[in-house]
Amino acid sequence: MKNYVRDKRMAFGMTQDELSEKLDVSRQTIISLEKGKYNPSINLAFKLSRLFTCTIEDLFIYEEEEKDV
Amino acid sequence: MKNYVRDKRMAFGMTQDELSEKLDVSRQTIISLEKGKYNPSINLAFKLSRLFTCTIEDLFIYEEEEKDV
DNA sequence: ACAAAATGTAAAGCTAGCTTGACAATGAAG
DNA sequence: CTTCATTGTCAAGCTAGCTTTACATTTTGT
């Protein structure tokens, strides 16, 4: 799962701290998200897409996830 | 978070069991999802939207989540 | 009515998403 | 060079999403 959170955030001229406050999550969450440490919950994905006025599909690229079987 | 999983599934004439197999999740997950017991992960949301050939926004209605503060 | 299919419920357990806190590294500006 | 803002790392802990198993209820077909 790839995402454009960092790009969008910078396009909006926001710091990680500002973004985390607007979304009501911790700064750690933003850092980890941008670094691709894990995927956002669908709630966070919705919050981000609303803030950035785009769709979830625009912000997150689902790549036919490699199964770990 | 409201969702139209049940509607979509029936529109596609599938059983919960069939759907769970196609998505590679347990039947319990489908039941709980349809019953609104919890929100899907963004991965599951993507899988569902792909299968039903629609967007996540079409399938899930995010309702400015009531904060539990 | 009966059997089989589909849906639902309950409970215990694992892991990913998120939190908090403390501290390190990098960057920009005087 | 120092200071302050910004970004990053580490670690421990909580909870929501998902799993498995086993059994109960409802629906459907003959």
Side-chain angles (χ1 to χ4, degrees):
Chain A
M1 178 92 50
K2 198 182 163 193
N3 77 72
Y4 296 108
V5 173
R6 189 180 207 99
D7 294 341
K8 284 287 187 178
R9 174 174 64 79
M10 308 206 101
F12 276 68
M14 305 172 62
T15 68
Q16 292 178 337
D17 209 39
E18 287 169 345
L19 180 56
S20 72
E21 281 178 2
K22 292 215 180 191
L23 298 176
D24 204 35
V25 296
S26 69
R27 191 170 62 90
Q28 252 313 312
T29 296
I30 303 300
I31 293 177
S32 301
L33 250 190
E34 290 189 355
K35 291 243 138 192
K37 297 281 184 181
Y38 47 65
N39 301 326
S41 67
I42 194 171
N43 267 299
L44 184 48
F46 264 113
K47 284 185 186 176
L48 282 160
S49 70
R50 292 251 170 129
L51 184 57
F52 294 145
T53 54
C54 64
T55 66
I56 290 181
E57 284 82 357
D58 283 338
L59 208 44
F60 300 93
I61 310 302
Y62 178 68
E63 292 146 321
E64 224 53 51
E65 231 69 10
E66 51 268 2
K67 311 210 174 193
D68 36 16
V69 179
Chain B
M1 178 93 48
K2 198 182 162 192
N3 76 73
Y4 296 108
V5 173
R6 188 178 208 100
D7 294 341
K8 283 287 188 181
R9 175 174 62 79
M10 307 206 102
F12 277 67
M14 304 173 62
T15 68
Q16 293 178 335
D17 209 40
E18 287 169 346
L19 180 56
S20 71
E21 281 179 2
K22 290 214 179 191
L23 298 175
D24 205 34
V25 296
S26 70
R27 191 170 62 89
Q28 253 311 315
T29 295
I30 303 301
I31 292 176
S32 301
L33 249 191
E34 290 189 355
K35 292 243 137 191
K37 297 281 185 182
Y38 48 64
N39 301 326
S41 68
I42 196 171
N43 267 299
L44 184 47
F46 264 113
K47 283 185 185 176
L48 280 160
S49 69
R50 291 252 169 128
L51 184 56
F52 294 144
T53 55
C54 63
T55 67
I56 289 181
E57 285 82 356
D58 283 337
L59 208 44
F60 299 93
I61 309 302
Y62 177 68
E63 292 145 321
E64 224 53 52
E65 231 68 9
E66 52 267 3
K67 313 209 173 191
D68 36 17
V69 178

